[in-house]
Amino acid sequence: MSASLPERLDPWRAAQAARVFTGTIELARLPRLAEAVLGLAPLAQGQAEVCYRLAFERDPRGRVRVFGDVDAVLRLPCQRCLGEVAVAVSAPLRLALVRSEQQAEQLDETLDPVLVEDDEPVQPLDWIEDELLLAIPAVPRHAPGECEAPVSTDASLAESEPLLETPPERDNPFAILASLKSRGRDDEG
Ligand SMILES: [Zn+2]
């Protein structure tokens, strides 16, 4: 049994019913993520959307757990060439709903605590957005050798003011070595 994700839901009932939510989300519904990326690129199976799966369950002591994963291909500025690079991210979700800081401290380290009020609905889109924001690489870059070459938009400018100065030949250590060798040969003769 799976359904698309409502904006707000009662986590206790969802866990009681062992609800599983799967689907895709457009970037427009995740405004914080939309601000942090250039956009989304299509996933392997089609659309430029976020793909998610969330399964609610109750542990033996009646506590709510949410397991799942979130996948997206983020379009980010490459920090080496400033061109656009598509970075596939896949983030696991392992959440434990808690009612107090004390409960959060007692959690297994593999679970992330989510503080909720007793009868408050939760907003799972926020969890998905948080996971994707955390999954953004600190320094997004193309793979080595795949950066975009710097493009000169004005050929005449490039001719009059070369960006790369070629070093004068006399500074070339190998040229100096060659001249020393030839001089030595002259002395012998
Ligand atoms: Zn690059």
Side-chain angles (χ1 to χ4, degrees):
M1 184 177 68
S2 76
S4 62
L5 198 59
E7 292 272 344
R8 298 155 73 83
L9 63 82
D10 179 335
W12 318 105
R13 283 174 62 182
Q16 175 76 42
R19 297 288 302 274
V20 178
F21 299 93
T22 59
T24 57
I25 310 168
E26 291 174 15
L27 185 60
R29 290 180 70 193
L30 306 171
R32 288 180 294 142
L33 181 69
E35 239 174 62
V37 301
L38 300 173
L40 297 180
L43 288 157
Q45 298 166 354
Q47 300 293 310
E49 292 179 316
V50 171
C51 188
Y52 66 86
R53 179 179 188 280
L54 291 185
F56 285 73
E57 63 181 56
R58 291 205 315 175
D59 77 357
R61 293 166 66 180
R63 298 170 299 194
V64 176
R65 301 285 185 257
V66 185
F67 298 103
D69 42 72
V70 182
D71 297 280
V73 181
L74 309 177
R75 290 163 49 208
L76 300 165
C78 170
Q79 297 302 293
R80 199 184 290 132
C81 70
L82 301 181
E84 185 178 302
V85 57
V87 179
V89 297
S90 183
L93 262 129
R94 299 178 63 80
L95 308 178
L97 273 55
V98 297
R99 289 188 165 103
S100 67
E101 294 282 337
Q102 193 187 0
Q103 275 187 8
E105 281 165 18
Q106 291 164 359
L107 279 182
D108 188 299
E109 281 178 9
T110 62
L111 296 168
D112 293 324
V114 176
L115 194 62
V116 290
E117 302 292 334
D118 270 355
D119 295 316
E120 284 290 304
V122 292
Q123 300 182 45
L125 282 180
D126 280 349
W127 304 341
I128 289 170
E129 194 167 30
D130 286 343
E131 290 299 331
L132 287 171
L133 285 167
L134 286 172
I136 294 176
V139 185
R141 278 188 297 206
H142 287 106
E146 288 182 11
C147 276
E148 295 164 20
V151 178
S152 173
T153 51
D154 187 343
S156 63
L157 182 72
E159 273 171 30
S160 58
E161 294 175 41
L163 295 174
L164 288 174
E165 284 184 20
T166 46
E169 222 162 82
R170 64 176 180 275
D171 285 345
N172 184 329
F174 297 105
I176 292 167
L177 191 64
S179 71
L180 286 174
K181 273 183 181 168
S182 66
R183 209 175 296 155
R185 224 176 284 134
D186 289 347
D187 291 347
E188 277 170 24

